Amino acid sequence: MERTFVMIKPDGVQRRLVGTIIARFERKGLKLVGLKLLRLTEEKAAQLYSIHRERPFFSELVRFVTSGPVVVMVWEGPGAVAIVRRIIGATDAASAEPGTVRGDFGLSVQMNLVHASDSPMSVARELPLLFSQDELVDYEMADAEWLGRSDE
Ligand code: IDP
Ligand code: MG
């Protein structure tokens, strides 16, 4: 079953939106398989965003995501990567669609509340940076048969 890596950024934690954001993924029918509150080290943040190393906003981005605690999560479900990207919305929160997390709660391109892996390849790189295998929990959801899509 597909899994994706998601992180509520420091602005989401400081603005007390952790529960609200988690609820968006829960109500869609995704399954939570990993969850932690922590503060990223500069090194971890730089690794997570290594593809942006050459971008002008890189050092500001690392400073921002290390400025306070974040909530890191792993969500599971058929097509979880693309579904979560649609739920969070476009990168620039100011122009993200209403109904998305960024569209409903943000105004900024940097402080856009949440990170989510953009492809299964990104999940394979990002998830192990923040979670070890024994921090991911295997279990069945009681409502799985009522969500209409079985394991693929
Ligand atoms: P994504 O989070 O939607 O995948 P990316 O392009 O991968 O967007 O950028 C990673 C993060 O870097 C964004 O979520 C945002 O916090 C920050 N960022 C992206 N573009 C800019 C920019 O032009 N200025 C400042 N920060 C940016
Ligand atoms: Mg990205």
Short mmCIF file of all heavy atoms in Angstrom, two decimals, residues 105-150:
data_model
loop_
_atom_site.label_atom_id
_atom_site.label_comp_id
_atom_site.label_asym_id
_atom_site.label_seq_id
_atom_site.Cartn_x
_atom_site.Cartn_y
_atom_site.Cartn_z
N PHE A 105 -5.66 28.36 4.74
CA PHE A 105 -5.03 28.88 5.96
C PHE A 105 -3.80 29.74 5.74
O PHE A 105 -3.24 30.26 6.71
CB PHE A 105 -4.67 27.72 6.90
CG PHE A 105 -5.87 26.92 7.32
CD1 PHE A 105 -6.08 25.64 6.83
CD2 PHE A 105 -6.80 27.47 8.19
CE1 PHE A 105 -7.19 24.90 7.20
CE2 PHE A 105 -7.92 26.74 8.58
CZ PHE A 105 -8.12 25.46 8.09
N GLY A 106 -3.32 29.91 4.50
CA GLY A 106 -2.06 30.61 4.31
C GLY A 106 -2.10 31.77 3.33
O GLY A 106 -3.06 31.93 2.57
N LEU A 107 -1.04 32.58 3.42
CA LEU A 107 -0.88 33.73 2.52
C LEU A 107 0.50 33.77 1.89
O LEU A 107 0.75 34.56 0.99
CB LEU A 107 -1.04 35.03 3.32
CG LEU A 107 -2.44 35.47 3.74
CD1 LEU A 107 -2.33 36.63 4.72
CD2 LEU A 107 -3.24 35.88 2.51
N SER A 108 1.39 32.92 2.38
CA SER A 108 2.81 33.05 2.07
C SER A 108 3.30 31.89 1.20
O SER A 108 2.75 30.79 1.27
CB SER A 108 3.58 33.05 3.40
OG SER A 108 4.93 32.74 3.22
N VAL A 109 4.33 32.14 0.39
CA VAL A 109 4.94 31.05 -0.39
C VAL A 109 5.87 30.24 0.50
O VAL A 109 6.02 29.03 0.31
CB VAL A 109 5.65 31.56 -1.66
CG1 VAL A 109 6.81 32.48 -1.33
CG2 VAL A 109 6.11 30.42 -2.55
N GLN A 110 6.50 30.88 1.48
CA GLN A 110 7.42 30.14 2.36
C GLN A 110 6.65 29.48 3.51
O GLN A 110 6.76 28.28 3.74
CB GLN A 110 8.50 31.05 2.93
CG GLN A 110 9.46 30.29 3.83
CD GLN A 110 10.39 31.20 4.59
OE1 GLN A 110 10.00 31.94 5.49
NE2 GLN A 110 11.63 31.17 4.21
N MET A 111 5.86 30.29 4.22
CA MET A 111 5.12 29.75 5.36
C MET A 111 3.79 29.19 4.84
O MET A 111 2.73 29.81 4.98
CB MET A 111 4.93 30.83 6.42
CG MET A 111 6.24 31.20 7.07
SD MET A 111 6.04 32.27 8.49
CE MET A 111 5.81 33.82 7.67
N ASN A 112 3.89 28.00 4.26
CA ASN A 112 2.72 27.39 3.63
C ASN A 112 2.25 26.14 4.39
O ASN A 112 1.64 25.26 3.82
CB ASN A 112 2.99 27.11 2.15
CG ASN A 112 4.21 26.24 1.96
OD1 ASN A 112 4.78 25.73 2.92
ND2 ASN A 112 4.61 26.05 0.72
N LEU A 113 2.59 26.11 5.66
CA LEU A 113 1.99 25.20 6.65
C LEU A 113 2.38 23.74 6.61
O LEU A 113 2.46 23.09 7.65
CB LEU A 113 0.44 25.28 6.57
CG LEU A 113 -0.12 26.67 6.83
CD1 LEU A 113 -1.39 26.91 6.06
CD2 LEU A 113 -0.35 26.83 8.32
N VAL A 114 2.60 23.22 5.41
CA VAL A 114 2.78 21.77 5.33
C VAL A 114 3.68 21.38 4.17
O VAL A 114 3.73 22.06 3.14
CB VAL A 114 1.37 21.09 5.28
CG1 VAL A 114 0.57 21.56 4.11
CG2 VAL A 114 1.43 19.59 5.32
N HIS A 115 4.44 20.31 4.41
CA HIS A 115 5.25 19.70 3.36
C HIS A 115 4.67 18.33 3.06
O HIS A 115 4.24 17.64 3.98
CB HIS A 115 6.70 19.53 3.84
CG HIS A 115 7.50 18.61 2.95
ND1 HIS A 115 8.14 19.07 1.82
CD2 HIS A 115 7.71 17.26 2.99
CE1 HIS A 115 8.73 18.04 1.23
NE2 HIS A 115 8.50 16.93 1.91
N ALA A 116 4.69 17.92 1.81
CA ALA A 116 4.34 16.53 1.47
C ALA A 116 5.19 16.08 0.30
O ALA A 116 5.41 16.85 -0.64
CB ALA A 116 2.85 16.42 1.12
N SER A 117 5.66 14.86 0.36
CA SER A 117 6.46 14.30 -0.74
C SER A 117 5.68 14.40 -2.04
O SER A 117 4.47 14.18 -2.07
CB SER A 117 6.78 12.83 -0.46
OG SER A 117 7.47 12.69 0.75
N ASP A 118 6.39 14.72 -3.13
CA ASP A 118 5.70 14.97 -4.41
C ASP A 118 5.67 13.78 -5.35
O ASP A 118 5.08 13.86 -6.43
CB ASP A 118 6.29 16.21 -5.11
CG ASP A 118 7.75 16.01 -5.48
OD1 ASP A 118 8.30 14.90 -5.31
OD2 ASP A 118 8.36 16.99 -5.95
N SER A 119 6.30 12.66 -4.97
CA SER A 119 6.30 11.46 -5.81
C SER A 119 6.73 10.28 -4.95
O SER A 119 7.36 10.48 -3.90
CB SER A 119 7.29 11.62 -6.97
OG SER A 119 8.62 11.69 -6.45
N PRO A 120 6.43 9.06 -5.40
CA PRO A 120 6.91 7.89 -4.65
C PRO A 120 8.44 7.89 -4.50
O PRO A 120 8.97 7.46 -3.47
CB PRO A 120 6.42 6.70 -5.49
CG PRO A 120 5.17 7.23 -6.14
CD PRO A 120 5.48 8.66 -6.47
N MET A 121 9.14 8.44 -5.50
CA MET A 121 10.61 8.53 -5.39
C MET A 121 11.03 9.47 -4.27
O MET A 121 12.00 9.20 -3.55
CB MET A 121 11.21 9.02 -6.72
CG MET A 121 11.92 7.95 -7.49
SD MET A 121 12.49 8.55 -9.10
CE MET A 121 13.62 9.85 -8.63
N SER A 122 10.30 10.58 -4.13
CA SER A 122 10.59 11.52 -3.03
C SER A 122 10.28 10.87 -1.68
O SER A 122 11.00 11.10 -0.71
CB SER A 122 9.79 12.80 -3.17
OG SER A 122 10.11 13.46 -4.37
N VAL A 123 9.21 10.10 -1.62
CA VAL A 123 8.90 9.39 -0.37
C VAL A 123 10.06 8.48 0.02
O VAL A 123 10.50 8.47 1.18
CB VAL A 123 7.61 8.54 -0.49
CG1 VAL A 123 7.34 7.78 0.80
CG2 VAL A 123 6.41 9.40 -0.87
N ALA A 124 10.59 7.75 -0.96
CA ALA A 124 11.67 6.80 -0.69
C ALA A 124 12.91 7.52 -0.14
O ALA A 124 13.66 6.96 0.65
CB ALA A 124 12.02 6.03 -1.97
N ARG A 125 13.10 8.78 -0.53
CA ARG A 125 14.25 9.54 -0.05
C ARG A 125 13.94 10.24 1.28
O ARG A 125 14.76 10.26 2.20
CB ARG A 125 14.65 10.58 -1.10
CG ARG A 125 16.03 11.18 -0.88
CD ARG A 125 16.30 12.29 -1.88
NE ARG A 125 15.47 13.45 -1.68
CZ ARG A 125 15.67 14.36 -0.74
NH1 ARG A 125 16.69 14.23 0.09
NH2 ARG A 125 14.87 15.39 -0.61
N GLU A 126 12.75 10.83 1.39
CA GLU A 126 12.44 11.70 2.53
C GLU A 126 12.01 10.92 3.78
O GLU A 126 12.40 11.28 4.90
CB GLU A 126 11.33 12.69 2.13
CG GLU A 126 11.78 13.66 1.05
CD GLU A 126 10.64 14.51 0.47
OE1 GLU A 126 9.49 14.39 0.94
OE2 GLU A 126 10.92 15.31 -0.45
N LEU A 127 11.16 9.92 3.59
CA LEU A 127 10.61 9.20 4.75
C LEU A 127 11.70 8.63 5.67
O LEU A 127 11.65 8.83 6.88
CB LEU A 127 9.63 8.13 4.26
CG LEU A 127 8.71 7.48 5.30
CD1 LEU A 127 7.46 6.91 4.62
CD2 LEU A 127 9.40 6.41 6.09
N PRO A 128 12.72 7.96 5.09
CA PRO A 128 13.76 7.39 5.97
C PRO A 128 14.62 8.45 6.68
O PRO A 128 15.31 8.13 7.65
CB PRO A 128 14.64 6.57 5.01
CG PRO A 128 13.82 6.37 3.79
CD PRO A 128 12.94 7.57 3.68
N LEU A 129 14.58 9.70 6.21
CA LEU A 129 15.30 10.77 6.92
C LEU A 129 14.67 11.02 8.29
O LEU A 129 15.34 11.44 9.23
CB LEU A 129 15.27 12.08 6.13
CG LEU A 129 16.06 12.18 4.83
CD1 LEU A 129 15.78 13.52 4.13
CD2 LEU A 129 17.55 12.03 5.10
N LEU A 130 13.38 10.78 8.42
CA LEU A 130 12.65 11.13 9.66
C LEU A 130 12.08 9.94 10.43
O LEU A 130 11.74 10.08 11.59
CB LEU A 130 11.52 12.11 9.33
CG LEU A 130 11.85 13.60 9.26
CD1 LEU A 130 12.59 14.06 10.52
CD2 LEU A 130 12.68 13.97 8.05
N PHE A 131 11.95 8.79 9.76
CA PHE A 131 11.36 7.64 10.44
C PHE A 131 12.21 6.39 10.25
O PHE A 131 12.68 6.13 9.14
CB PHE A 131 9.96 7.33 9.89
CG PHE A 131 8.90 8.30 10.36
CD1 PHE A 131 8.58 9.42 9.60
CD2 PHE A 131 8.23 8.09 11.56
CE1 PHE A 131 7.61 10.32 10.02
CE2 PHE A 131 7.26 8.99 12.00
CZ PHE A 131 6.94 10.10 11.23
N SER A 132 12.36 5.62 11.34
CA SER A 132 12.93 4.29 11.20
C SER A 132 11.78 3.30 11.01
O SER A 132 10.63 3.62 11.33
CB SER A 132 13.76 3.93 12.45
OG SER A 132 12.92 3.99 13.58
N GLN A 133 12.09 2.12 10.51
CA GLN A 133 11.05 1.11 10.24
C GLN A 133 10.19 0.83 11.47
O GLN A 133 8.98 0.71 11.37
CB GLN A 133 11.70 -0.22 9.79
CG GLN A 133 11.60 -0.57 8.32
CD GLN A 133 10.31 -0.14 7.61
OE1 GLN A 133 9.20 -0.48 8.03
NE2 GLN A 133 10.44 0.62 6.54
N ASP A 134 10.82 0.77 12.65
CA ASP A 134 10.05 0.38 13.85
C ASP A 134 9.17 1.52 14.38
O ASP A 134 8.45 1.34 15.35
CB ASP A 134 10.97 -0.19 14.94
CG ASP A 134 11.93 0.84 15.50
OD1 ASP A 134 11.92 2.00 15.03
OD2 ASP A 134 12.70 0.49 16.42
N GLU A 135 9.23 2.68 13.74
CA GLU A 135 8.33 3.77 14.13
C GLU A 135 7.06 3.79 13.26
O GLU A 135 6.20 4.64 13.45
CB GLU A 135 9.05 5.12 14.02
CG GLU A 135 10.13 5.28 15.07
CD GLU A 135 10.95 6.53 14.86
OE1 GLU A 135 11.31 6.86 13.71
OE2 GLU A 135 11.24 7.20 15.87
N LEU A 136 7.00 2.90 12.30
CA LEU A 136 5.82 2.81 11.43
C LEU A 136 4.97 1.63 11.90
O LEU A 136 5.48 0.51 12.07
CB LEU A 136 6.25 2.63 9.97
CG LEU A 136 7.17 3.74 9.45
CD1 LEU A 136 7.59 3.45 8.01
CD2 LEU A 136 6.50 5.11 9.53
N VAL A 137 3.70 1.88 12.13
CA VAL A 137 2.84 0.89 12.77
C VAL A 137 1.90 0.23 11.76
O VAL A 137 1.17 0.93 11.04
CB VAL A 137 2.01 1.55 13.90
CG1 VAL A 137 1.19 0.50 14.64
CG2 VAL A 137 2.92 2.30 14.86
N ASP A 138 1.94 -1.08 11.73
CA ASP A 138 1.04 -1.85 10.86
C ASP A 138 -0.22 -2.22 11.62
O ASP A 138 -0.15 -2.85 12.67
CB ASP A 138 1.73 -3.16 10.42
CG ASP A 138 2.34 -3.02 9.05
OD1 ASP A 138 1.68 -2.41 8.17
OD2 ASP A 138 3.46 -3.52 8.85
N TYR A 139 -1.37 -1.83 11.08
CA TYR A 139 -2.63 -2.22 11.74
C TYR A 139 -3.77 -2.06 10.74
O TYR A 139 -3.59 -1.44 9.69
CB TYR A 139 -2.89 -1.37 12.99
CG TYR A 139 -3.06 0.12 12.73
CD1 TYR A 139 -4.34 0.70 12.74
CD2 TYR A 139 -1.98 0.95 12.45
CE1 TYR A 139 -4.52 2.06 12.50
CE2 TYR A 139 -2.15 2.31 12.20
CZ TYR A 139 -3.42 2.86 12.23
OH TYR A 139 -3.59 4.19 11.98
N GLU A 140 -4.92 -2.60 11.07
CA GLU A 140 -6.09 -2.50 10.20
C GLU A 140 -7.01 -1.40 10.69
O GLU A 140 -7.17 -1.21 11.89
CB GLU A 140 -6.88 -3.83 10.21
CG GLU A 140 -6.10 -5.02 9.67
CD GLU A 140 -5.63 -4.82 8.24
OE1 GLU A 140 -6.43 -4.29 7.41
OE2 GLU A 140 -4.48 -5.16 7.94
N MET A 141 -7.63 -0.68 9.76
CA MET A 141 -8.66 0.30 10.13
C MET A 141 -10.02 -0.39 10.12
O MET A 141 -10.35 -1.13 9.19
CB MET A 141 -8.68 1.47 9.13
CG MET A 141 -7.45 2.35 9.18
SD MET A 141 -7.15 3.12 10.77
CE MET A 141 -8.18 4.58 10.64
N ALA A 142 -10.82 -0.09 11.13
CA ALA A 142 -12.12 -0.76 11.27
C ALA A 142 -13.08 -0.41 10.12
O ALA A 142 -13.97 -1.18 9.79
CB ALA A 142 -12.75 -0.38 12.61
N ASP A 143 -12.87 0.76 9.50
CA ASP A 143 -13.82 1.19 8.45
C ASP A 143 -13.30 0.91 7.04
O ASP A 143 -13.89 1.37 6.06
CB ASP A 143 -14.12 2.69 8.59
CG ASP A 143 -12.87 3.56 8.40
OD1 ASP A 143 -11.78 3.01 8.16
OD2 ASP A 143 -12.99 4.79 8.50
N ALA A 144 -12.20 0.16 6.92
CA ALA A 144 -11.56 -0.01 5.61
C ALA A 144 -12.54 -0.47 4.53
O ALA A 144 -12.54 0.05 3.42
CB ALA A 144 -10.39 -0.98 5.72
N GLU A 145 -13.40 -1.42 4.87
CA GLU A 145 -14.31 -1.96 3.83
C GLU A 145 -15.35 -0.94 3.40
O GLU A 145 -15.95 -1.06 2.34
CB GLU A 145 -14.96 -3.27 4.29
CG GLU A 145 -15.92 -3.09 5.44
CD GLU A 145 -16.60 -4.41 5.81
OE1 GLU A 145 -17.34 -4.93 4.97
OE2 GLU A 145 -16.38 -4.89 6.94
N TRP A 146 -15.58 0.09 4.20
CA TRP A 146 -16.58 1.11 3.87
C TRP A 146 -16.00 2.25 3.05
O TRP A 146 -16.72 3.16 2.64
CB TRP A 146 -17.23 1.65 5.15
CG TRP A 146 -17.96 0.57 5.87
CD1 TRP A 146 -17.54 -0.11 6.97
CD2 TRP A 146 -19.21 -0.01 5.48
NE1 TRP A 146 -18.45 -1.07 7.31
CE2 TRP A 146 -19.48 -1.03 6.42
CE3 TRP A 146 -20.11 0.22 4.43
CZ2 TRP A 146 -20.63 -1.81 6.34
CZ3 TRP A 146 -21.26 -0.56 4.37
CH2 TRP A 146 -21.51 -1.56 5.31
N LEU A 147 -14.68 2.23 2.84
CA LEU A 147 -14.07 3.28 2.03
C LEU A 147 -14.00 2.90 0.56
O LEU A 147 -13.64 3.72 -0.29
CB LEU A 147 -12.68 3.63 2.58
CG LEU A 147 -12.79 4.48 3.86
CD1 LEU A 147 -11.48 4.46 4.64
CD2 LEU A 147 -13.19 5.91 3.52
N GLY A 148 -14.33 1.66 0.24
CA GLY A 148 -14.57 1.28 -1.14
C GLY A 148 -13.36 1.01 -2.00
O GLY A 148 -13.50 0.65 -3.15
N ARG A 149 -12.18 1.21 -1.49
CA ARG A 149 -10.99 0.83 -2.26
C ARG A 149 -10.15 -0.10 -1.42
O ARG A 149 -9.65 0.27 -0.37
CB ARG A 149 -10.18 2.07 -2.65
CG ARG A 149 -10.79 2.82 -3.81
CD ARG A 149 -9.91 3.94 -4.28
NE ARG A 149 -8.76 3.47 -5.03
CZ ARG A 149 -7.92 4.31 -5.63
NH1 ARG A 149 -8.08 5.61 -5.53
NH2 ARG A 149 -6.90 3.84 -6.32
N SER A 150 -9.97 -1.30 -1.92
CA SER A 150 -9.19 -2.26 -1.16
C SER A 150 -7.71 -2.04 -1.44
O SER A 150 -7.33 -1.27 -2.31
CB SER A 150 -9.59 -3.67 -1.54
OG SER A 150 -9.45 -3.82 -2.93
#
